[in-house]
Amino acid sequence: MLTRLTSFASLGLETKRITVEVGAAPGEGGIAIVGLGDTAVQESKQRVRLALRHSGYRISTGQAITVNLAPADIRKVGPRYDLPMSLGILMVNGLVPIAEEQIQGIAFLGELALDGGLRHVSGVLPAAIACKQYGIHTLVVPASNGPEAALVPGLKVIAASSIIELIDILRGERAIPAIDPPAASPVHHAADIDFADVRGQMHAKRALEIAAAGGHNVLLSGAPGAGKTLLAQAMRGILPPLKRNESLEVTQIYSVANLLPDHTPLVTSRPFRAVHHTASGVSIVGGGQIPGPGEISLAHRGVLFLDELSEFPPHVLEVLRQPLEDRTVTITRAQGTVTFPADFILIAAMNPPEFSTGSTRRIRRRISPPLLDRIDLTIDVQPVPIEDLRGTDHGGELSATILDRVLKARERQEYRFKEHGICTNAEMSVRQLNEICPLDDATEQLLSKAADRLRLSARGYHRTIKVARTIADLCDADAIGVAHVAEALQYRQKIGIEE
């Protein structure tokens, strides 16, 4: 007797169809699993046997059961195959009156508890999207994964709490449970710091507004206690909400990383990932024996905040250079090569070097010129006078007011790039920059002179134009003018560690 069920394997955000073949033959009782499964897959033998016993099913001791996870050259990871294995074992033993024809076009994902319940698994959203690609009309998942699977329109989702409930549903003896609409994460958290609460620092606030509007990278340099971390945290309140397609991108990453809360399966607020300077390169870029997303991918479509930038080891900072340019990261391991998206805004903060050659030299060894060249706006954050810290009338703009300008600038960019496949000014290629951002003679002359004086690289020259284009968008200007380029050049200032 042989039966086949469909499941999926995840390698990064890529999902492969897996055929779970279950066969039984006379022999010593036992379950053998083949097909390049990891430890969790091999441990399914114990979970499945005891879960079926607690659910009222007894497997014949006179049969040898073989489970083949095909194709065999794809690594199978995790307990997600418990459910199709257990159902296949019941079918080949004739313990449930379900024919193989009844499960055609249905895919199964789920971990079994020892009492027969179904537990949450990771990577359900990528699997649900893959169902549409493979022509599968129904996806069976644990009840806790139901709202996540239901994010894909047109896909029938069966969210069962136990294998007994699932069998009753497949036999038509129980109705398919209704799935509540997926809850969404809030656009802005109540704990977010408002820009109005940050005293002074008007120059830094303006730079962060430009960064939020155009997707540019920022370096905040200033004395301890000047407000660098506070400014970075306040930026969360001026980031535009994610669009539907962006939400699904971010949600897929968090689903694969198993970081989605059960009650909020859809991420709608832009991620803000604050990384400590003791973090390893693998934790930031991603990797591991089974490649998983790192902090730069978890910050996709959001912000990656590196506080105390000069304390990070040089090899950790250097791994950021390629993702900052390509907006993706490719990880190669023995199990395969995976690519994760990594389109984030980098916000870095550091204390300026002390007035000593040794301090400057130490920071230069850690923060390379190529990395600094990828930062669009550099801000000198000066301490706020004590008298300005007191009182209630600080006259600062609310984050909501700044966000309104950011949203209008993003709308202009969306219209501008609707035929180019990008969203922000920071994403423009050199060809797109030349086509979309022409400069008049006076503006070109100013930029050329400043480029010579500041010794801008080609990358720095092009990034300055991108920042100027964002400034023009915030000013509701159709063309880049002298004033826009002049302001953009202010943010290419030196911070005392350049060669």
Side-chain angles (χ1 to χ4, degrees), residues 275-286 295-296 304 306-324 344 346 365-368 371:
V275 182
H276 195 264
H277 60 79
T278 58
S280 66
V282 171
S283 68
I284 292 178
V285 174
E295 291 292 340
I296 62 174
L304 180 71
L306 303 184
D307 204 357
E308 303 295 345
L309 182 69
S310 59
E311 300 302 320
F312 281 82
H315 70 276
V316 173
L317 294 180
E318 288 304 294
V319 299
L320 294 175
R321 287 166 53 180
Q322 177 263 329
L324 283 171
F344 58 90
L346 174 65
R365 285 198 299 265
R366 289 176 177 264
I367 308 174
S368 66
L371 179 61

Side-chain angles (χ1 to χ4, degrees), residues 120-421:
H120 185 94
V121 293
S122 63
V124 166
L125 180 57
I129 294 173
C131 283
K132 303 286 287 185
Q133 298 170 351
Y134 285 104
I136 294 172
H137 56 75
T138 302
L139 178 62
V140 177
V141 294
S144 60
N145 287 115
E148 181 184 347
L151 293 172
V152 179
L155 178 67
K156 182 180 179 181
V157 177
I158 299 176
S161 59
S162 68
I163 191 168
I164 294 177
E165 181 184 5
L166 174 60
I167 291 171
D168 289 343
I169 293 171
L170 294 177
R171 295 174 60 183
E173 297 176 356
R174 186 182 301 199
I176 298 176
I179 299 176
D180 294 330
S185 59
V187 174
H188 298 300
H189 301 278
D192 283 351
I193 300 168
D194 198 287
F195 266 105
D197 299 327
V198 181
R199 304 301 177 93
Q201 308 296 0
M202 303 308 296
H203 190 50
K205 290 179 182 179
R206 171 64 173 174
L208 291 176
E209 177 183 343
I210 295 169
H216 306 289
N217 303 319
V218 181
L219 173 60
L220 303 171
S221 175
K228 303 183 296 294
T229 302
L230 192 67
L231 285 162
Q233 293 173 343
M235 187 175 176
R236 301 176 70 174
I238 63 171
L239 293 173
L242 290 168
K243 292 180 169 53
R244 176 71 178 186
N245 64 316
E246 293 175 329
S247 290
L248 290 176
E249 288 178 11
V250 176
T251 301
Q252 284 189 74
I253 297 170
Y254 278 71
S255 176
V256 168
N258 204 20
L259 294 177
L260 278 181
D262 293 348
H263 56 283
T264 56
L266 179 63
V267 179
T268 57
S269 58
R270 294 188 181 270
F272 184 95
R273 305 292 297 186
V275 182
H276 195 264
H277 60 79
T278 58
S280 66
V282 171
S283 68
I284 292 178
V285 174
Q289 184 177 5
I290 307 299
E295 291 292 340
I296 62 174
S297 295
L298 295 173
H300 180 62
R301 301 295 185 185
V303 171
L304 180 71
F305 177 45
L306 303 184
D307 204 357
E308 303 295 345
L309 182 69
S310 59
E311 300 302 320
F312 281 82
H315 70 276
V316 173
L317 294 180
E318 288 304 294
V319 299
L320 294 175
R321 287 166 53 180
Q322 177 263 329
L324 283 171
E325 286 292 325
D326 298 342
R327 303 182 185 274
T328 61
V329 59
T330 300
I331 304 168
T332 301
R333 296 291 185 269
Q335 284 74 21
T337 299
V338 299
T339 298
F340 290 106
D343 186 1
F344 58 90
I345 298 174
L346 174 65
I347 305 293
M350 60 173 285
N351 300 327
E354 300 174 0
F355 293 103
S356 68
T357 304
S359 173
T360 302
R361 188 181 299 116
R362 182 185 69 85
I363 295 178
R364 282 177 180 171
R365 285 198 299 265
R366 289 176 177 264
I367 308 174
S368 66
L371 179 61
L372 285 176
D373 208 29
R374 288 165 167 82
I375 294 176
D376 306 296
L377 302 102
T378 303
I379 309 301
D380 183 16
V381 182
Q382 295 293 328
V384 178
I386 296 298
E387 56 270 18
D388 292 343
L389 296 176
R390 299 182 59 83
T392 58
D393 185 18
H394 45 78
E397 279 190 304
L398 293 170
S399 291
T401 303
I402 300 174
L403 176 60
D404 185 61
R405 292 197 296 267
V406 169
L407 291 175
K408 291 179 180 178
R410 286 287 182 114
E411 288 174 2
R412 291 180 63 91
Q413 293 169 70
E414 183 178 358
Y415 178 79
R416 178 185 304 126
F417 300 131
K418 61 183 178 181
E419 303 296 335
H420 296 272

Side-chain angles (χ1 to χ4, degrees), residues 17-142:
R17 182 173 181 166
I18 300 298
T19 300
V20 181
E21 300 176 330
V22 182
E28 292 187 12
I31 303 174
I33 302 176
V34 296
L36 204 60
D38 70 347
T39 302
V41 173
Q42 294 301 324
E43 290 173 347
S44 295
K45 293 179 286 190
Q46 287 75 29
R47 286 194 301 271
V48 167
R49 184 177 290 278
L50 196 53
L52 293 180
R53 180 180 293 271
H54 277 282
S55 300
Y57 299 103
R58 291 189 177 274
I59 303 172
S60 172
T61 57
Q63 284 187 320
I65 298 172
T66 301
V67 178
N68 180 36
L69 305 177
D73 61 340
I74 296 177
R75 185 73 170 173
K76 321 302 186 306
V77 178
R80 58 169 55 196
Y81 307 103
D82 288 5
L83 179 55
M85 285 185 198
S86 59
L87 188 58
I89 290 172
L90 292 176
M91 291 172 64
V92 298
N93 279 274
L95 297 176
V96 292
I98 299 174
E100 189 170 337
E101 294 74 20
Q102 294 178 251
I103 58 173
Q104 294 301 312
I106 302 178
F108 300 85
L109 294 173
E111 176 185 351
L112 276 179
L114 296 185
D115 61 357
L118 293 178
R119 287 180 171 159
H120 185 94
V121 293
S122 63
V124 166
L125 180 57
I129 294 173
C131 283
K132 303 286 287 185
Q133 298 170 351
Y134 285 104
I136 294 172
H137 56 75
T138 302
L139 178 62
V140 177
V141 294

